[in-house]
Amino acid sequence: MVLSLRVMAPNRIVWNSEVGEIILSTNSGQIGILPNHAPLLTALDMGVSKIRSGGQWSAMASMGGFTMIDNNRVTILVNEAEVSDEIDLVEAQKDYEVAQMELAQAEGRKRKIEANLAFKRAKAGFYLLLDSNQ
Amino acid sequence: MASSQIVRNRMKSVKSIQKITKAMKMVAASKLRGVQVKAENSRGFWQPFVALLGDHPDIESKKNVILTISSDRGLCGGINSTSVKFSKAMFTLSASEEPAKYVILGEKGKVQLQRDSKKNIQMVVTDIQKMPINFTQISMIADEILKNVEFDTIKIIYNKFGSVVSFLPSVATIPSPEVIARESEAGGKLEQLESYEIEGGDSKAEVLQNLSEFQFAAMLFNASLENACSEQGARMSAMDSSTRNASEMLEKLTLKYNRSRQASITTELIEIISGAAALEAAS
């Protein structure tokens, strides 16, 4: 029994194949999805989701979205997503440190919110690579 | 008989119009190629929503909002008039205790609807196409609409791109979170929603709210892209028929010009010859 997974961003299909297991990060914690899961509808937070396909774990950073699970069909709709082999480690680390600094220095509510968002994005991308490189 | 000078001036202007419309057609064709790819990729994005929630244009709703998508620039055939006609029909159909409200995207729609429905227009967004359409921009517009407009359902009216010669006016219906919650109870139209465990928020209502907002942004994204494709396609065919008309006109004018030129040459010849003949006869 396998799960058929589709991950879609507004401008492209990020993933479309059969997988064995998925670990999603929602804003109430991480959820593991195995075949024959009950129908589920959940919001995804900005973070890293892990996908096991053929014994290999891949990681995917997503910038918020929705997951629908029904009948072994998993549909994940995201604002933006990147799979681990598409990101460059050095750049991701740089982005992370820059975003961290900007968050510490942000003044004014608007800039704080922007910096927070940018930080979360960079963090997701960076942790994604840390995970996949371990 | 028209003077040959006037006809020649007309020919010059028709020729330049022909060149301009031909160029506009090429520009529209190349823009179409770019937007078409994006539109097709975005179709997969809203399909899961329809698979989950279905499409219920007849859902019960008191506060109706009609979102008309139109173009900012003209010379694109009849697509804007079609959208406006459709919107007005939807407006009459969805009359309930409260009259429906319009939200308009695009200058051309605003101009046409302002003429007779000015008091029902709640919000207008123009100049969307200054930058290529992307999801972030559309999410912001969707956010603004959700903040400022109260609704039970939003009906998005746009021209779906079938092919370069076919644009179908279409309606996408988006229910509000409260309506989704109401209809997902037993006996409602969204009954199948109850069979899903709902997680990811503090409450089911919060998740449904996020879902409805996301669905709205996704549908609006696809609808804007489809309308942009239809706009370019319609402009291509409008400019094409314009170029053809200009060529026909040019042919007719050329014939007229030649006839008038030959007539004036003949007149001159007759004068010269009759003058010469008169001189001969006199001598």
Side-chain angles (χ1 to χ4, degrees):
Chain A
M1 279 256 82
V2 280
L3 295 165
S4 112
L5 172 65
R6 279 184 311 171
V7 180
M8 295 193 274
N11 54 356
R12 66 185 183 123
I13 300 181
V14 182
W15 193 293
N16 187 4
S17 77
E18 297 198 330
V19 302
E21 188 180 339
I22 309 171
I23 300 185
L24 301 168
S25 91
T26 72
N27 53 11
S28 49
Q30 295 203 318
I31 303 184
I33 313 283
L34 288 168
N36 290 328
H37 198 282
L40 176 68
L41 176 64
T42 174
L44 271 188
D45 201 12
M46 289 193 214
V48 181
S49 308
K50 298 200 194 62
I51 304 170
R52 173 170 63 84
S53 156
Q56 278 267 43
W57 281 99
S58 323
M60 180 179 76
S62 62
M63 314 298 166
F66 255 91
T67 306
M68 300 176 223
I69 305 175
D70 184 20
N71 229 336
N72 282 331
R73 264 190 330 224
V74 182
T75 310
I76 304 184
L77 299 169
V78 288
N79 287 323
E80 253 181 83
E82 279 172 353
V83 189
S84 51
D85 43 8
E86 293 170 6
I87 311 183
D88 174 39
L89 178 59
V90 173
E91 218 184 295
Q93 182 155 13
K94 203 175 57 166
D95 281 341
Y96 179 57
E97 285 163 8
V98 167
Q100 212 168 14
M101 248 178 14
E102 293 204 351
L103 181 59
Q105 295 175 351
E107 286 172 41
R109 196 161 158 258
K110 178 175 172 215
R111 304 199 62 110
K112 274 213 168 81
I113 296 179
E114 286 178 3
N116 206 0
L117 274 175
F119 178 64
K120 271 184 160 181
R121 282 180 68 141
K123 182 167 129 183
F126 187 52
Y127 277 5
L128 176 65
L129 283 165
L130 282 187
D131 266 343
S132 66
N133 281 350
Q134 274 159 9
Chain B
M1 189 170 56
S3 117
S4 58
Q5 182 71 4
I6 297 183
V7 180
R8 218 185 12 218
N9 283 340
R10 262 201 96 183
M11 276 172 60
K12 228 191 299 182
S13 69
V14 170
K15 212 181 282 189
S16 68
I17 290 183
Q18 185 187 31
K19 283 202 196 128
I20 292 175
T21 54
K22 192 161 174 209
M24 283 184 80
K25 176 185 168 196
M26 301 287 169
V27 168
S30 76
K31 284 197 180 158
L32 175 64
R33 247 170 287 145
V35 195
Q36 197 171 353
V37 169
K38 279 177 153 188
E40 282 169 10
N41 285 342
S42 78
R43 279 185 196 152
F45 202 54
W46 57 257
Q47 272 156 4
F49 287 108
V50 175
L52 179 68
L53 298 171
D55 183 34
H56 301 283
D58 51 347
I59 210 168
E60 226 188 278
S61 139
K62 295 218 182 63
K63 299 202 178 98
N64 295 300
V65 170
I66 300 176
L67 203 156
T68 313
I69 304 190
S70 60
S71 66
D72 279 326
R73 273 180 261 142
L75 294 180
C76 49
I79 54 165
N80 289 322
S81 311
T82 321
S83 291
V84 168
K85 217 177 357 168
F86 224 76
S87 310
K88 290 193 183 157
M90 275 279 132
F91 181 83
T92 337
L93 273 178
S94 60
S96 60
E97 296 146 13
E98 278 179 54
K101 294 211 167 53
Y102 286 108
V103 171
I104 307 180
L105 263 59
E107 183 73 37
K108 291 288 154 189
K110 164 180 143 197
V111 162
Q112 287 194 32
L113 281 170
Q114 255 180 354
R115 255 181 251 146
D116 48 6
S117 318
K118 193 160 182 185
K119 56 181 166 41
N120 291 319
I121 300 181
Q122 177 132 10
M123 199 166 135
V124 176
V125 185
T126 53
D127 284 337
I128 307 178
Q129 297 208 28
K130 277 224 170 102
M131 290 181 349
I133 300 182
N134 61 47
F135 190 63
T136 326
Q137 171 197 40
I138 298 282
S139 324
M140 297 215 52
I141 297 180
D143 249 349
E144 277 299 311
I145 298 180
L146 289 169
K147 259 195 296 204
N148 295 320
V149 182
E150 260 184 53
F151 64 96
D152 281 341
T153 57
I154 296 189
K155 294 203 161 70
I156 305 181
I157 302 200
Y158 62 104
N159 288 292
K160 196 174 167 96
F161 184 72
S163 78
V164 183
V165 292
S166 110
F167 324 110
L168 303 158
S170 317
V171 185
T173 312
I174 317 275
S176 73
E178 294 86 23
V179 171
I180 296 183
R182 183 188 79 204
E183 294 284 340
S184 64
E185 317 272 314
K189 293 207 159 95
L190 298 171
E191 239 180 316
Q192 72 269 26
L193 205 52
E194 276 296 290
S195 61
Y196 284 77
E197 247 178 76
I198 303 202
E199 290 193 33
D202 299 319
S203 69
K204 174 174 164 190
E206 188 188 327
V207 178
L208 284 184
Q209 171 119 9
N210 283 335
L211 182 67
S212 165
E213 292 179 6
F214 202 38
Q215 180 194 23
F216 180 41
M219 294 275 200
L220 192 59
F221 184 56
N222 174 254
S224 315
L225 282 173
E226 300 264 357
N227 205 59
C229 275
S230 305
E231 177 195 339
Q232 300 299 347
R235 186 165 296 137
M236 256 180 74
S237 53
M239 291 298 103
D240 186 45
S241 50
S242 184
T243 314
R244 231 173 291 142
N245 282 345
S247 321
E248 273 181 41
M249 228 184 207
L250 201 56
E251 272 179 35
K252 282 196 207 132
L253 283 173
T254 312
L255 284 175
K256 205 168 171 190
Y257 176 66
N258 282 337
R259 238 175 281 141
S260 90
R261 186 177 53 93
Q262 287 162 352
S264 69
I265 292 178
T266 312
T267 321
E268 256 196 74
L269 274 174
I270 292 181
E271 285 175 9
I272 296 176
I273 293 178
S274 50
L279 277 176
E280 256 191 53
S283 65

